[in-house]
Amino acid sequence: MDILRQLAVQVAPFNGRGTVAYSLTALNAGVGVTSPITAFANFIDNYGGTLASPVNIVFGSGRYRPNLFTVAGYLQDTYKATPDLVLTYGLRYENFGQPANIFKSPAYTGYSDADATSTARVNPDNNNFGPSLGFSYNPHIRDHGFLSGSLVVRGGYQVTYDTQFNNLLSNMAAASPNALANLPVPSSSTAATPRGTSNFSSILPNVVPTPLGPYSSIASNFRKGIRNPYYHHFSLGVQQQLPGSVVLDVAYVGSLGRQLYYTNPLNPTLPNLTTLTSAATQTVTINGVATVVPLRLFANRGSIQIRDSGLTSNYHSLQVQLRRSSIHTLAGQLSFSSSYTWSKSLDVLSETFGTNSSPQNPSRSPAFGASLGYLDYGPSDNDRRHVSVTIVQLQARGVKNRFLDEIVGGWTFAPILTVQSGTPYTVINGFDRGLDGSTTFSRPNIGNIKAPVNTRAQVVSASVCSTGLQNPAVVTKTNAGCVTANDVRFVQVASYSPSSPNMESRNSNYTTRYLNLDANMLKTFKITERVGFELRGEFFNVTNNQNFDTPPGGTAGTNRNVSANTGTNFLNTTILNGGSRTMRVGGKITF
């Protein structure tokens, strides 16, 4: 049994000291600004400029103590059922506690007006039972040549659980309702303040927090019944010793993730049904002031984005390995291992914080009544359909002549060859087609799946192209680049259309294959009976092969944004840094 009492201090990313941003004052002759005034000039003269929200501070403290009490226990036994069959079975229980309950408002409970000020606790997850079962079977086959006694069949199944990690808690500590931002302090160019607010640096010490209310945002709170993620692991393999002491290992290996973490956008904005190119708005009274806010699914509430569990992942693979520990050759001792994996990894979200090639949130909130993640279930960011790794090690044979042995002997050479499929990625639409705030992660439509992968069309007015679509990569004086959806692979969607039958699937594109050869060379010298010298050379990407990663989603340069005006560089990975040959040498004296 494991019993852990954690006493810890953590500091969240927290703007507790505040920031003041000085901005440009644009030309506004009507209020006395006859030429633009730079942000730096405004800083020197202590004028605010014209930013809508130039003063920001978070009230409270980013320091928190994620103390918890965890208990984990297991029972396990090994039973030799027959001389050929061994069983291993057990049960593990894990209770990680609930450190989120150290905060004033840890749990989201519903859509009532009082939810922003709720102090409800998050339920602990007390039913984390993980059974395990494994077996090893050696049939001891008789009179079958090389099969005799050298065949082993192994299999197993296990359930394991994941604990919550402190980044989730840091986000909760630094966000509303546990931490409050200041009331907005705009700075605008008017007749009375042509360069914005004067004596700007004196504003920060006097700002006050925004009171909590129904329209306050809720960010990073946990769902009251959030679960610990868990995984079903299973495998079935056959190991056979072949002639020449070569071992063949073939196995089916799988892992199914359940109740995985994600950010749940429970109160998304609604479209403006008149234009379908912007979110609808409403005017409400907040702190006694008439304020225009987005019209959301639940109109009397603000933005609600909570941490939740409920996503799934599925991994299945066929794994094959050939290995030989040591072979005596004329050149010396040779050993090798060569493995190949054919696999498929599928999920809705590969990383809670969106650090990989997928968006942070599923495309559609279950608040709309849709099946969770049904638009996003597809290849994982980690999906590599084919992976082959071969490792060879040769220890050169020495000679009897001591002088020649210092030259010929003592060498070790070990190359590592890796070949694998490309990385999956998603092309970005560049317009928030769902009008839910996820501009960066909306996906375009597929025009013609057989068209070249680097072709796209942007929405333009009928006066530019009668088709309403234009490919910016072929716009010239004689050719306006007008195309139809059938001429290109990706088509921009520039109005409200949260989903459509021809919307691009998540991670449906792949980079080119990855090929890399590394090598390690080692030479040992004998200086005296007690002192030796070791010279090592390490060579990375020996063949100087170019391996291109996922094109970035930015608005300039090589990118995967359909809306970006970057000409021929759309999905052009060849101008990225594809890697280069690297070498390093080191020496070591041993005694």
Side-chain angles (χ1 to χ4, degrees):
M1 176 170 286
D2 300 326
I3 300 176
L4 170 68
R5 173 60 171 161
Q6 173 179 292
L7 302 175
V9 178
Q10 192 84 9
V11 180
F14 201 84
N15 188 17
R17 295 182 177 181
T19 55
V20 176
Y22 294 86
S23 63
L24 169 77
T25 302
L27 176 65
N28 192 352
V31 296
V33 182
T34 57
S35 61
I37 301 170
T38 66
F40 184 70
N42 281 334
F43 167 70
I44 294 297
D45 298 333
N46 208 13
Y47 286 98
T50 56
L51 277 181
S53 301
V55 178
N56 293 281
I57 189 172
V58 178
F59 291 89
S61 173
R63 185 181 298 272
Y64 66 95
R65 299 177 180 274
N67 298 337
L68 53 83
F69 183 76
T70 66
V71 177
Y74 74 95
L75 298 170
Q76 185 170 301
D77 188 30
T78 300
Y79 175 63
K80 193 167 186 178
T82 71
D84 297 335
L85 177 64
V86 177
L87 301 177
T88 300
Y89 46 90
L91 179 67
R92 183 175 180 87
Y93 174 74
E94 296 180 294
N95 191 316
F96 300 105
Q98 186 44 263
N101 286 332
I102 64 174
F103 296 113
K104 176 185 65 177
S105 300
Y108 173 77
T109 57
Y111 297 98
S112 68
D113 290 350
D115 188 71
T117 57
S118 170
T119 58
R121 308 286 92 182
V122 181
N123 297 334
D125 195 355
N126 296 326
N127 63 344
N128 296 339
F129 291 93
S132 63
L133 176 64
F135 73 91
S136 176
Y137 177 57
N138 181 359
H140 285 90
I141 300 175
R142 309 296 181 186
D143 302 325
H144 285 80
F146 69 89
L147 290 179
S148 300
S150 59
L151 175 69
V152 179
V153 181
R154 294 185 176 91
Y157 168 78
Q158 185 181 39
V159 177
T160 63
Y161 290 85
D162 232 343
T163 184
Q164 291 160 3
F165 48 97
N166 276 9
N167 204 342
L168 299 175
L169 303 179
S170 290
N171 290 167
M172 187 185 296
S176 174
N178 290 292
L180 301 179
N182 58 281
L183 283 169
V185 182
S187 180
S188 58
S189 180
T190 66
T193 60
R195 295 176 64 180
T197 305
S198 60
N199 195 23
F200 201 53
S201 60
S202 65
I203 292 177
L204 186 61
N206 300 312
V207 295
V208 295
T210 304
L212 287 172
Y215 295 99
S216 298
S217 64
I218 292 180
S220 300
N221 281 20
F222 287 179
R223 179 172 61 88
K224 189 176 178 65
I226 194 171
R227 294 281 308 277
N228 287 109
Y230 63 94
Y231 306 86
H232 300 273
H233 306 284
F234 45 89
S235 64
L236 178 63
V238 176
Q239 188 179 82
Q240 173 65 52
Q241 182 170 311
L242 303 177
S245 298
V246 175
V247 176
L248 171 65
D249 218 331
V250 181
Y252 165 62
V253 179
S255 180
L256 312 179
R258 299 294 183 262
Q259 298 296 329
L260 306 182
Y261 291 133
Y262 72 107
T263 301
N264 193 344
L266 288 177
N267 200 22
T269 56
L270 298 180
N272 185 326
L273 297 179
T274 301
T275 65
L276 294 181
T277 58
S278 61
T281 60
Q282 61 177 338
T283 301
V284 299
T285 300
I286 300 178
N287 302 318
V289 179
T291 307
V292 177
V293 298
L295 179 62
R296 299 183 176 274
L297 184 65
F298 296 91
N300 65 332
R301 297 304 311 276
S303 173
I304 302 173
Q305 297 221 24
I306 66 170
R307 301 294 185 196
D308 208 342
S309 59
L311 298 190
T312 63
S313 68
N314 297 288
Y315 172 80
H316 300 273
S317 68
L318 172 65
Q319 301 179 5
V320 181
Q321 183 186 57
L322 278 173
R323 63 182 182 271
R324 176 70 157 83
S325 58
S326 182
I327 305 174
H328 295 280
T329 68
L330 292 176
Q333 294 283 343
L334 178 68
S335 61
F336 73 89
S337 173
S338 184
S339 63
Y340 167 74
T341 300
W342 176 36
S343 66
K344 192 170 187 179
S345 179
L346 300 171
D347 60 21
V348 179
L349 182 70
S350 300
E351 165 57 47
T352 309
F353 295 102
T355 58
N356 296 327
S357 57
S358 290
Q360 178 180 359
N361 297 345
S363 291
R364 191 170 177 84
S365 168
F368 282 113
S371 174
L372 180 59
Y374 81 105
L375 290 176
D376 286 341
Y377 183 74
S380 160
D381 292 357
N382 309 307
D383 182 47
R384 305 293 186 272
R385 297 297 170 87
H386 304 275
V387 178
S388 173
V389 179
T390 299
I391 304 172
V392 177
Q393 179 170 307
L394 173 65
Q395 291 180 302
R397 183 188 299 275
V399 295
K400 293 183 178 181
N401 185 289
R402 181 175 178 181
F403 175 77
L404 291 178
D405 190 55
E406 288 295 327
I407 300 174
V408 178
W411 286 95
T412 300
F413 177 64
I416 303 173
L417 176 64
T418 303
V419 182
Q420 66 183 31
S421 302
T423 304
Y425 67 92
T426 306
V427 171
I428 297 169
N429 185 53
F431 176 82
D432 182 9
R433 63 185 294 175
L435 302 179
D436 56 4
S438 60
T439 305
T440 309
F441 302 127
S442 290
R443 304 196 294 269
N445 282 347
I446 297 296
N448 183 353
I449 193 65
K450 296 183 179 179
V453 70
N454 63 341
T455 57
R456 57 178 170 146
Q458 296 177 351
V459 175
V460 295
S461 65
S463 62
V464 177
C465 286
S466 60
T467 61
L469 296 174
Q470 183 183 53
N471 185 349
V474 294
V475 175
T476 66
K477 293 182 179 179
T478 58
N479 180 6
C482 298
V483 294
T484 66
N486 193 55
D487 297 325
V488 295
R489 174 73 69 92
F490 301 102
V491 179
Q492 180 196 42
V493 178
S495 61
Y496 178 73
S497 178
S499 64
S500 62
N502 57 339
M503 186 172 73
E504 177 202 17
S505 300
R506 169 179 165 262
N507 278 349
S508 57
N509 310 280
Y510 284 81
T511 63
T512 55
R513 60 94 185 96
Y514 176 91
L515 186 151
N516 191 71
L517 175 62
D518 299 329
N520 182 25
M521 294 183 68
L522 178 69
K523 176 69 172 79
T524 58
F525 300 90
K526 199 74 171 177
I527 300 175
T528 70
E529 288 298 322
R530 299 181 58 187
V531 180
F533 179 70
E534 181 180 290
L535 181 65
R536 179 186 296 272
E538 295 174 334
F539 307 89
F540 303 94
N541 194 8
V542 174
T543 57
N544 204 27
N545 190 63
Q546 298 289 287
N547 295 304
F548 300 111
D549 204 351
T550 303
T555 57
T558 302
N559 65 82
R560 50 191 167 97
N561 189 335
V562 172
S563 300
N565 186 20
T566 56
T568 58
N569 283 335
F570 176 68
L571 298 186
N572 180 12
T573 60
T574 61
I575 65 174
L576 295 174
N577 180 4
S580 59
R581 182 188 296 113
T582 304
M583 296 175 284
R584 62 189 183 196
V585 177
K588 181 170 65 175
I589 296 176
T590 59
F591 57 91

